[in-house]
């Protein structure tokens, strides 16, 4: 047969498996091979090569390969814990959320997790890698899967399975340990040797390589502010009895969704009110708001301004985008395109000069950036602030000291906002925060910019790269972190997301990502989005709100 491997046409024998093909060409790749994309569709290595197909072999440097690697290591972690911890002391393991480079997990039951036990767990995982144990894929009846997960005391999986429409589902067996994972898995454990375990808080993290350095385990940067923000949300959703998608679906089926939604929105309003009170208490005169794409920064700034007004403070919104340098002075990236994400794209000196003048009580005419001409223009009324005024500044560089280093610390209050998902599919399948933000952006771009899902997906890698360079390194500098994720939002966005994702052409590079998101959304029972409050952060994406329209 003739097939295209990457950009080269090659001949292969009939009946050859993707695994055999991968083994023949493994030396040509910079990291272990995880799975393949065949004609744009994700395929595990047990599949046979088809005549005339176009094949891309994926390592952890690819998004898809990276997810496969993570799932494989996760299953090894879960099996190792069951092999090391006595069964009568173990009630479960929760893979909860990501902390920078680490995936945070908790062992449930009468277990005293210490370094000695963690070393035994990691050593057991190394044994699996050395033994090169295959992941055996099994397709079973959905009702049998419910019984299986009940017998394994994994209630979150049986609840998730209960609301699946398909009569059959896929599970994986690893040397006697059976589990369900959302997405493709590696062929065997032999390719999963790059990991490390570390104790953290009341659990542990497993740490993997970055996509840029797929054979080197990353350093784990301790992130207490992020951890406590995630933990607060985790505790709250557990208190609500909705810590996974199966439990959310149960709430919807019982007709209790409106109450849950109202309670979540009330929590957001309370947190924003608390932040406003802290700003007033500190007598801060400059508030900076920063966060990654599709976090709801604009809605948050409006709601914060409203809360500040109730406390007798006059907020003045300022967008950092208005301080872009003129187009001819904009830096370019490695491809030659304008780089609007880097801080050098902002006239930081002009910004600091204007802010200092305002704090001194002087009149200032602030600029407006004309995105058509690529020039700043001055057509706003002059602004002068008093002791009861607060400047509310929104932009991706709001936490970067280069932007505000001339402003006294006691005048500043820094806010980091992101949609930090803690609601997971089940105890072992976490929902990445980036997936939630990508779905938000796909819906908003389709509604407000006329962009297709294909275009938004194609740009997402560049967006993520800008966030990793310009936002995430500074998030620990924030005075407070605000989690804009809503426990119910996927159920409310499903009706908007499905139609635009189905439009992605099958022959496009973005097709497999669109299909992955569709499969992900299929786990959620839909709700009527018209019930979403008009001031909700979700309205920034689905539209119809009274703050942004």
């Amino acid at each position: 047969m003739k097939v295209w491997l990457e950009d080269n046409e090659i001949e292969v024998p009939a009946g050859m498996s993707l695994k055999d093909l991968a083994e023949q060409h493994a030396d040509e790749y910079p990291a272990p091979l995880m799975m393949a994309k065949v004609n744009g569709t994700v395929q595990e290595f047990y599949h046979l090569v088809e005549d005339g197909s176009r094949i891309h072999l994926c390592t952890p440097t690819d998004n898809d390969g990276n997810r496969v690697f993570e799932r494989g290591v996760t299953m090894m972690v879960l099996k190792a814990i069951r092999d090391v911890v006595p069964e009568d002391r173990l009630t479960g393991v929760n893979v909860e959320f990501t902390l920078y480079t680490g995936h945070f997990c908790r062992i449930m039951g009468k277990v005293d997790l210490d370094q000695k036990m963690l070393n035994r767990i990691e050593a057991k995982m190394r044994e699996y890698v050395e033994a090169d144990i295959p992941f055996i894929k099994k397709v079973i009846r959905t009702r049998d899967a419910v019984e299986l997960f009940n017998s394994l005391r994994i209630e979150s999986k049986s609840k998730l399975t209960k609301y699946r429409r398909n009569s059959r589902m896929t599970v994986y067996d690893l040397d006697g340990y059976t589990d369900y994972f959302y997405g493709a898995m590696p062929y065997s454990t032999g390719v999963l040797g790059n990991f490390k375990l570390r104790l953290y808080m009341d659990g542990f993290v497993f740490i993997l390589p970055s996509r840029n350095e797929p054979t080197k385990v990353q350093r784990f940067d301790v992130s207490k502010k992020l951890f406590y923000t995630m933990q607060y949300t985790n505790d709250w959703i557990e208190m609500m009895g909705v810590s996974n998608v199966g439990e959310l679906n149960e709430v919807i089926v019982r007709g209790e969704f409106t109450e849950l939604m109202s309670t979540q929105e009330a929590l957001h309003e309370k947190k924003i009110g608390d932040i406003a009170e802290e700003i007033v208490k500190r007598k801060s005169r400059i508030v900076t708001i920063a966060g990654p794409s599709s976090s709801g920064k604009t809605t948050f700034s409006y709601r914060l301004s409203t809360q500040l007004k109730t406390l007798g403070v006059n907020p003045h919104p300022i967008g950092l985008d208005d301080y872009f340098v003129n187009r001819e002075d904009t830096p370019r990236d490695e491809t030659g395109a304008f780089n609007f994400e880097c801080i050098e794209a902002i006239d930081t000196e002009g910004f600091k000069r204007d802010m200092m003048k305002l704090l001194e009580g002087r009149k200032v005419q602030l600029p407006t950036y004309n995105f058509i001409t690529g020039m700043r223009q001055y057509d706003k009324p002059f602004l002068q602030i008093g002791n009861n005024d607060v400047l509310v500044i929104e932009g991706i560089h709001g936490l970067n000291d280069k932007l505000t280093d001339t402003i006294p610390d006691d005048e500043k209050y820094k806010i980091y906002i992101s949609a930090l998902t803690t609601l997971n599919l089940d105890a072992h399948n976490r929902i990445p925060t980036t997936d939630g933000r990508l779905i938000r952006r796909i819906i908003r771009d389709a509604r407000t910019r006329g962009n297709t899902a294909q275009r938004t997906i194609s740009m997402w890698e560049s967006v993520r790269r800008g966030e990793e360079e310009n936002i995430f390194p500074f998030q620990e500098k924030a005075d407070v972190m605000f989690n804009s994720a809503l426990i119910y939002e996927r159920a409310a966005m499903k009706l908007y997301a499905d139609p635009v994702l189905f439009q992605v052409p099958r022959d496009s590079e973005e097709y497999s990502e669109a299909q992955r998101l569709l499969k992900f959304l299929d786990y959620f029972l839909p709700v009527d989005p018209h019930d979403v409050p008009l001031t909700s952060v979700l309205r920034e994406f689905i539209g119809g709100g009274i703050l942004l329209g």
Side-chain angles (χ1 to χ4, degrees):
M1 299 184 298
K2 288 186 178 181
V3 299
W4 287 89
L5 177 61
E6 312 307 345
D7 293 324
N8 301 312
E9 188 179 35
I10 62 173
E11 288 189 355
V12 299
M16 185 183 217
S17 68
L18 287 170
K19 179 178 182 292
D20 292 336
L21 181 68
E23 288 178 345
Q24 282 189 7
H25 295 270
D27 292 342
E28 302 168 18
Y29 292 82
L33 294 166
M34 296 292 127
M35 39 72 69
K37 288 179 76 170
V38 181
N39 299 326
T41 301
V42 170
Q43 287 192 5
E44 293 164 315
F45 279 159
Y46 69 85
H47 285 279
L48 297 180
V49 177
E50 296 182 2
D51 190 24
S53 56
R54 290 186 172 271
I55 302 169
H56 169 58
L57 298 177
C58 298
T59 73
T61 60
D62 302 281
N63 272 326
D64 291 304
N66 194 265
R67 295 187 190 104
V68 170
F69 184 83
E70 180 188 327
R71 292 186 204 109
V73 174
T74 302
M75 190 166 186
M76 288 203 305
V77 168
L78 297 167
K79 175 175 167 53
I81 291 171
R82 289 181 177 270
D83 286 349
V84 168
V85 179
E87 185 177 355
D88 60 344
R89 303 186 69 83
L90 180 67
T91 58
V93 184
N94 289 344
V95 181
E96 298 194 352
F97 44 75
T98 300
L99 294 169
Y100 291 140
T101 59
H103 303 268
F104 181 72
C105 307
R106 280 193 179 89
I107 301 177
M108 318 302 289
K110 298 178 181 179
V111 181
D112 295 321
L113 179 63
D114 56 15
Q115 189 62 55
K116 183 178 179 181
M117 177 178 285
L118 196 66
N119 289 343
R120 290 175 60 203
I121 293 169
E122 182 168 337
K124 185 63 69 174
M125 294 171 65
R126 300 288 177 198
E127 290 178 15
Y128 304 155
V129 174
E130 186 66 27
D132 198 18
I133 306 169
F135 291 86
I136 306 300
K137 187 173 186 175
K138 298 179 179 179
V139 179
I140 63 176
R141 294 181 300 182
T142 300
R143 64 174 179 267
D144 292 338
V146 174
E147 293 176 4
L148 170 66
F149 296 135
N150 283 333
S151 69
L152 294 173
R153 295 176 296 172
I154 312 177
E155 187 180 1
S156 63
K157 288 184 184 290
S158 59
K159 286 182 178 179
L160 181 71
T161 305
K162 178 181 177 182
Y163 295 100
R164 295 283 289 157
R165 292 185 178 88
N166 295 335
S167 60
R168 294 184 176 274
M169 65 179 299
T170 300
V171 297
Y172 292 87
D173 180 271
L174 183 62
D175 192 27
Y177 171 67
T178 304
D179 207 338
Y180 168 76
F181 284 91
Y182 156 61
M185 295 290 281
Y187 186 85
S188 64
T189 57
V191 295
L192 303 176
N194 296 314
F195 64 85
K196 185 173 180 57
L197 273 55
R198 175 176 166 176
L199 289 174
Y200 188 71
M201 297 297 188
D202 57 343
F204 70 95
V205 293
F206 64 87
I207 311 158
L208 306 178
S210 69
R211 284 182 54 196
N212 294 332
E213 296 183 285
T215 59
K216 179 183 177 182
V217 177
Q218 300 176 87
R219 187 183 72 177
F220 177 63
D221 293 315
V222 176
S223 172
K224 289 187 176 180
K225 285 182 182 177
L226 181 59
F227 175 82
Y228 288 125
T229 302
M230 300 292 280
Q231 188 56 48
Y232 176 87
T233 306
N234 223 33
D235 292 344
W236 185 83
I237 65 174
E238 286 184 7
M239 182 177 68
M240 293 292 101
V242 187
S243 57
N244 55 67
V245 175
E247 290 174 345
L248 174 62
N249 287 337
E250 284 191 337
V251 167
I252 295 170
V253 169
R254 292 198 302 264
E256 299 169 359
F257 167 73
T258 301
E259 180 182 358
L260 175 67
M261 177 177 61
S262 299
T263 306
Q264 167 83 94
E265 293 290 348
L267 177 69
H268 267 197
E269 201 61 48
K270 179 182 183 303
K271 294 292 289 182
I272 296 172
D274 291 345
I275 292 170
E277 289 184 1
E278 183 67 17
I279 292 168
V280 174
K281 180 181 177 181
R282 291 194 188 185
K283 298 181 180 179
S284 303
R285 301 180 69 196
I286 284 189
V287 176
T288 60
I289 303 169
S293 174
S294 304
S295 294
K297 295 184 291 293
T298 305
T299 298
F300 175 84
S301 65
Y302 274 105
R303 290 172 69 173
L304 178 64
S305 294
T306 300
Q307 290 286 348
L308 288 169
K309 288 177 183 176
T310 67
L311 299 172
V313 173
N314 301 315
H316 298 277
I318 297 174
L320 275 179
D321 286 0
D322 285 330
Y323 280 88
F324 273 134
V325 298
N326 291 333
R327 186 72 46 79
E328 61 187 14
D329 299 320
T330 303
R332 295 180 182 269
D333 61 20
E334 63 277 4
T335 68
F338 287 118
N339 185 355
F340 296 106
E341 307 293 322
C342 66
I343 195 166
E344 290 75 18
I346 300 291
D347 178 10
T348 55
E349 294 304 315
F351 172 81
K352 288 187 284 189
R353 186 168 54 249
D354 285 352
M355 296 307 106
M356 290 303 299
K357 287 180 180 178
L358 287 170
L359 293 177
E360 292 166 359
R362 297 158 65 182
K363 288 184 178 181
V364 176
Q365 188 178 34
L366 299 177
T368 300
Y369 190 79
N370 187 320
F371 284 88
I372 297 175
T373 64
M375 302 282 288
R376 271 175 290 168
Q377 57 194 41
Y378 291 84
D379 52 8
K380 293 179 180 178
F382 279 81
L383 175 64
Q384 185 176 25
I385 65 172
N387 292 332
N388 253 15
D389 296 74
V390 174
L391 302 174
V392 181
I393 299 158
E394 178 203 335
I396 67 172
H397 299 290
L399 303 182
N400 191 329
D401 288 335
K402 290 182 179 179
L403 188 74
T404 59
D405 55 5
T406 60
I407 300 170
D409 288 342
D410 59 0
E411 297 272 17
K412 296 181 287 190
Y413 190 87
K414 296 181 178 181
I415 301 171
Y416 175 77
I417 175 175
S418 186
L420 302 168
T421 305
T422 60
L423 178 78
N424 286 330
L425 285 179
D426 58 43
H428 302 160
N429 287 271
R430 70 179 186 88
I431 297 175
T433 292
T434 53
D435 281 358
R437 292 194 292 110
L438 175 55
I439 292 170
R440 282 181 171 189
R441 179 149 178 168
I442 286 170
I443 293 170
R444 185 186 63 190
D445 283 3
R447 181 178 64 85
T448 64
R449 302 177 183 178
N451 283 354
T452 63
Q454 180 184 358
R455 175 166 172 73
T456 301
I457 292 170
S458 71
M459 296 187 301
W460 190 240
E461 190 70 21
S462 175
V463 171
R464 291 284 315 282
R465 192 161 52 246
E467 294 168 351
E468 290 172 359
E469 294 173 359
N470 302 302
I471 299 175
F472 298 147
F474 305 103
Q475 61 186 18
E476 285 291 312
K477 294 179 179 291
D479 293 291
V480 68
M481 289 186 176
F482 180 79
N483 186 357
S484 70
L486 294 158
I487 196 171
Y488 69 86
E489 66 178 81
R490 276 71 170 188
M493 292 194 295
K494 179 179 173 65
L495 296 178
Y496 293 93
D498 280 358
V500 292
L501 286 168
F502 273 117
Q503 293 173 16
V504 176
R506 188 180 184 89
D507 60 353
S508 67
E509 290 185 9
E510 296 75 26
Y511 177 76
S512 64
E513 181 70 351
Q515 291 299 304
R516 185 183 70 84
L517 294 174
L518 283 167
K519 180 182 177 182
F520 162 63
L521 289 168
D522 196 43
Y523 290 97
F524 293 83
L525 295 180
V527 296
D528 189 348
H530 293 94
D531 293 334
V532 175
L534 300 183
T535 57
S536 172
V537 68
L538 196 56
R539 289 291 180 181
E540 186 171 327
F541 306 98
I542 66 175
I546 59 175
L547 297 178
L548 302 177

